[in-house]
Amino acid sequence: MDLIFSFLLAVLPIIVIFVGLVFLNKSGTLMGIIGWVLTVVLAVLFFGTSPRIALSASESGVLSSFGISLMVLFTILQVTMMDVTGAITSITAYIKVIAAERYEQIMILNVGFGSFLVSIGATPVTMLPPIMLALGFSPLAAVALPCLGYDPLTSFSLLAVPITLPASVFNIDVSLLGGTIALFLPVISTGFALGMLWIADGMAGVKKGLVPGIIAGVTLGISCNIFVRVLPASAIGLVGVFSGLVTIAVLFLLRYIKGKPIIAKNEDLQRMKTDDGTPIMPLWKASLPWLLLVIFCVAISIPIIQAGLYATLGNAQKIQVIADKIVDLKLLNQAYFWVMISTLLAAPVLVKSRAQAEEILKTWARRAWAPTLAAMVFFAIAYVMDWSAQSVINNTLTFAPGAADLNMNAIIGLTLAMTFGVAFPAISPLLGLLGTFVSGSEASSNVMFHGILKKSTDVLNLDFIKVYAAHCVSGGIASSIAPAKIVNAAAVIDQIGIEGEVIRKSAVIAILLTLITGAMLIVLLAL
């Protein structure tokens, strides 16, 4: 089969999903299902994949998606509870007192707090949209800003799993990879901050918030470079946590220098009312689910606690999919489990009546099914592409002699490498953008494309770590346009159907930052 024809077939599901979302305004869930069916059919008919392997890949993808899909499920429950009980309204009132300007709200919530949240394993794409909407931002901005805020630190999100996972699988020096990724961040994090201002208020917003935006982005990026070199390799998961906290502190310091309040005064708190005229909740009560979640997420990042939790269920949480492919769910170590626990613990404090509890559950059921399913099917697509052309040989899923050239991901990478040659570094970050767009997960993208990039850099005699680091960074950038994440954010504010509009707007920022990443990679390779 001709390489160009194979390339077009391999990228066809991605094109179909993109067109459906961006130009036909179809939902992410619908396009995910269509994309999955198309991917399976193409893998079986054109890329040497048996139906059994394609379906097993889909099963593995669904199980592997639990870190995101079940996080979505339970975070939507938590946010819905906080919304119905008035906790979101109370938190919003506090934020208006200490950050009245829109650019301050964007920087503090989405750059600083968003980076902190995602670094400990929480999901700002489901936690922050209701607050942004309540603060007066448009539905598009309320969805787009938390998605952009998901990854200003790119690979250092989710306790640095996008770095530690491929490092452990492929025996890469985690400190070297993390340190190289960090080199991109002062520029990329600043680009995220300015991009958020543009999304919210256009160029007028960028001009008004230019200085705080630059300060927030540069602080985040430089803090990351410092912590990744100061902390031991075993603590790389805390780099994003500390960087987010430092950024929040610097932004509040900037307010203090300008003579603006950083703590709400008692008289201001006493005047605060909800929309129905009742006094707002104390901040500790309104934010109790999040406070508990932060405590739990920090606790489960401690190695001895991690080991104890894992040992509780042990091998019972391992599921054999096919041959040697086993998915280890690590149930008690996952943030979604502790989102559920923090929600249940806070419920008696927040929920006032049986009727209110029933309203929460009904709203949750209506909001949660679509984004949860979307996260699962996008992972399934990624795994079918990754497992394509493989077969079971001696109880091991691997490539038969000569079959590796039929792998869908390999064809995409090889075509790009052959087409662009020495210019490959400039466009190689597009693979990261592509991988995360499809799977919704940078970690998944980093694992999927490792072999392709290793082969390409060996052929072109390029520094693999630098090229791979740029791929990781662009994968983080793509979180801003990943349908799986945008569907989540849209669902919690009942804006399903807005996904295409968000992608059209955010794609400008994502593509620009990816091209900048490619340019920075060329400079790094020349040094």
Side-chain angles (χ1 to χ4, degrees), residues 6-299:
S6 299
F7 171 78
L8 293 175
L9 287 177
V11 298
L12 182 59
I14 300 165
I15 294 172
V16 169
I17 292 170
F18 185 81
V19 170
L21 286 170
V22 176
F23 298 107
L24 302 180
N25 292 319
K26 300 299 182 182
S27 74
T29 306
L30 174 62
M31 294 314 303
I33 294 171
I34 292 173
W36 170 73
V37 172
L38 181 58
T39 305
V40 169
V41 171
L42 291 173
V44 171
L45 294 181
F46 297 100
F47 297 100
T49 311
S50 70
R52 180 189 176 207
I53 297 297
L55 294 178
S56 294
S58 301
E59 179 189 354
S60 185
V62 169
L63 292 172
S64 299
S65 79
F66 282 3
I68 291 180
S69 59
L70 295 189
M71 186 71 172
V72 170
L73 181 67
F74 293 122
T75 305
I76 290 179
L77 171 62
Q78 185 177 87
V79 171
T80 300
M81 179 183 73
M82 295 175 69
D83 187 18
V84 172
T85 59
I88 293 292
T89 301
S90 299
I91 293 171
T92 303
Y94 282 98
I95 292 172
K96 287 179 178 178
V97 171
I98 62 173
E101 296 285 352
R102 284 166 67 90
Y103 66 83
E104 292 176 323
Q105 295 165 356
I106 292 169
M107 292 303 107
I108 292 173
L109 285 175
N110 294 284
V111 179
F113 190 52
S115 295
F116 169 76
L117 284 175
V118 77
S119 295
I120 63 171
T123 51
V125 294
T126 45
M127 297 170 72
L128 296 183
I131 291 179
M132 302 309 297
L133 194 65
L135 286 170
F137 289 88
S138 68
L140 186 148
V143 171
L145 292 176
C147 290
L148 285 164
Y150 188 91
D151 251 355
L153 283 175
T154 64
S155 306
F156 291 95
S157 62
L158 301 175
L159 297 173
V161 168
I163 297 174
T164 58
L165 179 61
S168 62
V169 172
F170 303 114
N171 196 29
I172 300 172
D173 184 329
V174 70
S175 295
L176 177 61
L177 179 58
T180 307
I181 289 170
L183 295 175
F184 293 87
L185 296 187
V187 174
I188 300 304
S189 297
T190 303
F192 267 111
L194 299 180
M196 291 178 196
L197 295 170
W198 178 76
I199 287 285
D201 297 309
M203 289 307 299
V206 175
K207 291 178 182 177
K208 191 170 185 179
L210 182 62
V211 173
I214 292 174
I215 289 175
V218 171
T219 299
L220 197 61
I222 291 179
S223 297
C224 183
N225 275 275
I226 292 172
F227 287 122
V228 78
R229 288 163 176 79
V230 171
L231 295 174
S234 60
I236 193 170
L238 298 177
V239 169
V241 177
F242 292 147
S243 298
L245 290 175
V246 168
T247 303
I248 294 171
V250 168
L251 288 170
F252 276 113
L253 177 61
L254 184 62
R255 281 185 58 81
Y256 180 77
I257 292 172
K258 291 181 177 180
K260 297 180 179 180
I262 58 175
I263 300 176
K265 298 178 181 178
N266 287 332
E267 54 267 31
D268 292 328
L269 298 180
Q270 292 171 0
R271 289 197 300 267
M272 290 180 186
K273 305 288 183 182
T274 61
D275 293 338
D276 61 5
T278 59
I280 65 168
M281 296 181 190
L283 184 58
W284 71 264
K285 181 178 179 180
S287 59
L288 181 61
W290 292 352
L291 293 173
L292 291 172
L293 178 59
V294 169
I295 292 170
F296 289 142
C297 286
V298 171

Side-chain angles (χ1 to χ4, degrees), residues 414-453:
L414 181 61
T415 303
L416 292 175
M418 292 180 62
T419 301
F420 292 95
V422 293
F424 179 71
I427 60 93
S428 65
L430 290 174
L431 289 175
L433 195 74
L434 175 70
T436 301
F437 178 84
V438 173
S439 69
S441 164
E442 184 201 336
S444 177
S445 172
N446 293 349
V447 172
M448 284 167 50
F449 285 98
H450 173 273
I452 298 170
L453 292 173

